[in-house]
Amino acid sequence: MSELFLEKEEVIKLTKYKYSAYQKKWLAKRNIPFWEDREGGPVIMRAYFLNTENTSISAEDKPNFGAL
């Protein structure tokens, strides 16, 4: 494929599974987004693992339980 997506060998290294059915179960259990290629194998965007944005929740995003 390209540098945008993980190579098949990288998916095997990540999941420790060779077969796509097990790989997809592993990925789904960990909420890692993927879609299937024509052969049924998982396609994972490399950017998912390279995302370095601060993902902490700000005070504005937190619920105000005092208002209840």
Side-chain angles (χ1 to χ4, degrees):
M1 290 198 190
S2 70
E3 291 187 22
L4 291 175
F5 308 104
L6 295 182
E7 299 290 333
K8 290 183 180 188
E9 295 80 21
E10 292 175 309
V11 177
I12 293 170
K13 189 172 184 178
L14 173 68
T15 63
K16 306 293 190 261
Y17 289 108
K18 181 178 178 181
Y19 298 105
S20 61
Y22 294 119
Q23 292 170 347
K24 291 184 285 189
K25 285 181 185 178
W26 191 92
L27 294 165
K29 184 176 181 181
R30 287 154 181 81
N31 296 320
I32 298 174
F34 69 92
W35 63 92
E36 295 182 22
D37 61 12
R38 281 192 266 180
E39 299 169 347
V43 177
I44 307 163
M45 293 200 67
R46 186 177 303 277
Y48 176 80
F49 298 102
L50 299 176
N51 186 3
T52 57
E53 289 183 17
N54 185 1
T55 58
S56 63
I57 299 174
S58 68
E60 298 168 355
D61 294 334
K62 292 181 182 177
N64 183 359
F65 291 111
L68 296 176

